[in-house]
Amino acid sequence: MDGLIQIGFLTLAVGRLLAVVAILSFVVGTPLLAEVLGIRPPRIVAALILGIAASRMAYVIENWDAFRVDFASILWVWQGGFAVWPGAIVAALVVVSTRNPLGKRLALATIPLGISLLWVGAHQILASPPRAFPSGLVVSTVGGRSVHLDALRGQPFVLNLWATWCPPCQREMPMMVDVASNTPVPVLFVNQGETADHIRRFLQGRKLLNASAFRDANGVVGTAIGSPALPTTIFVDAAGKVRARHFGEISRAALTAAIHDLERNPK
């Protein structure tokens, strides 16, 4: 799950920004070190491609129960989902596979491994710390009945902030509704700023009438939890703490893993 960094009107997920920085550091830093060591350039492109592939496949294997429901989602890398260390180790092995003195090749291996270590540390430092879910928030059903979110306290729950005009929201919602139907943890779909008729037509058109859909007419929930982007998925434990936030389209694997975390550690 990610924190956010805002630069003017631009909103960036911390984890993905750090991933880009790590890749650029590897692409630039490895050839520079090879030049300093006076050895032939490493196989940068091969190391990068194989490292990313290994990182993704390790994540897929780790979350196979989620991916086997939809094999095509293995290719949906824009949703995130990579295991850092398998990718770093494979990239290091490719980098040191040149015909150079062993000591200098091992020195090259410190680049992907060191960058991965820094990435993990930076992600932990910059990720949003757990905080209390705001109290006093009220949403309404599509039928107009008021619902106080404080009534959910004492149990874990998930909020998904969405809008019908948001393409990532449209893509993820059928999957999220399917996951929600198979978990005891409530998953609430809180629409941001649209009319009840508009929401109802959207749900009817997508055959998602079993979704626990609610309306937040003025976007107060998104403002209260500091979510400037859609979709946003918030995971709240039984103690009322925001355990994790995911900004942008979420994968089945990330969603089910976070829900299982709430089930294993309800408080």
Side-chain angles (χ1 to χ4, degrees):
M1 303 296 162
D2 292 315
L4 283 182
I5 293 177
Q6 286 189 269
I7 306 173
F9 293 104
L10 183 63
T11 302
L12 301 171
V14 169
R16 297 179 189 184
L17 177 61
L18 290 176
V20 172
V21 171
I23 290 172
L24 291 177
S25 299
F26 172 72
V27 170
V28 173
T30 308
L32 287 177
L33 181 57
E35 184 176 350
V36 170
L37 295 173
I39 60 178
R40 67 177 64 188
R43 302 179 176 92
I44 294 296
V45 174
L48 188 60
I49 292 174
L50 292 175
I52 292 174
S55 179
R56 178 63 172 176
M57 290 312 300
Y59 182 82
V60 169
I61 292 170
E62 182 182 358
N63 297 276
W64 180 243
D65 285 344
F67 284 103
R68 69 179 180 180
V69 177
D70 183 4
F71 290 121
S73 64
I74 294 174
L75 303 177
W76 299 348
V77 295
W78 61 85
Q79 294 181 340
F82 297 88
V84 175
W85 291 113
I89 290 170
V90 168
L93 291 174
V94 175
V95 164
V96 302
S97 63
T98 56
R99 295 179 179 177
N100 289 300
L102 179 59
K104 294 182 177 182
R105 283 188 283 157
L106 293 177
L108 281 182
T110 63
I111 293 291
L113 297 176
I115 289 173
S116 297
L117 183 60
L118 290 174
W119 182 91
V120 171
H123 190 273
Q124 292 297 320
I125 292 171
L126 295 176
S128 300
R131 58 175 178 168
F133 185 78
S135 60
L137 297 178
V138 181
V139 297
S140 63
T141 65
V142 178
R145 179 174 59 85
S146 294
V147 175
H148 294 259
L149 295 183
D150 286 345
L152 293 169
R153 293 186 182 275
Q155 65 176 321
F157 63 92
V158 179
L159 290 183
N160 177 255
L161 307 185
W162 67 286
T164 63
W165 49 261
C166 163
C169 303
Q170 297 171 13
R171 288 194 300 266
E172 73 177 9
M173 184 170 284
M175 176 275 294
M176 294 192 71
V177 172
D178 180 53
V179 171
S181 67
N182 292 287
T183 176
V185 177
V187 180
L188 283 63
F189 298 90
V190 182
N191 180 276
Q192 299 293 283
E194 298 184 282
T195 66
D197 286 341
H198 199 83
I199 298 168
R200 190 180 293 108
R201 286 196 300 270
F202 173 83
L203 296 176
Q204 290 173 342
R206 299 299 177 98
K207 295 182 171 59
L208 297 173
L209 294 179
N210 58 330
S212 297
F214 298 86
R215 179 172 176 248
D216 178 14
N218 298 312
V220 295
V221 176
T223 301
I225 64 173
S227 171
L230 294 178
T232 293
T233 306
I234 304 103
F235 301 86
V236 184
D237 62 22
K241 296 289 186 180
V242 177
R243 183 74 61 85
R245 296 186 298 171
H246 184 97
F247 301 100
E249 186 174 356
I250 193 170
S251 67
R252 182 183 292 268
L255 176 63
T256 55
I259 289 176
H260 289 160
D261 180 63
L262 290 178
E263 292 174 326
R264 289 191 301 268
N265 305 286
K267 293 185 180 181

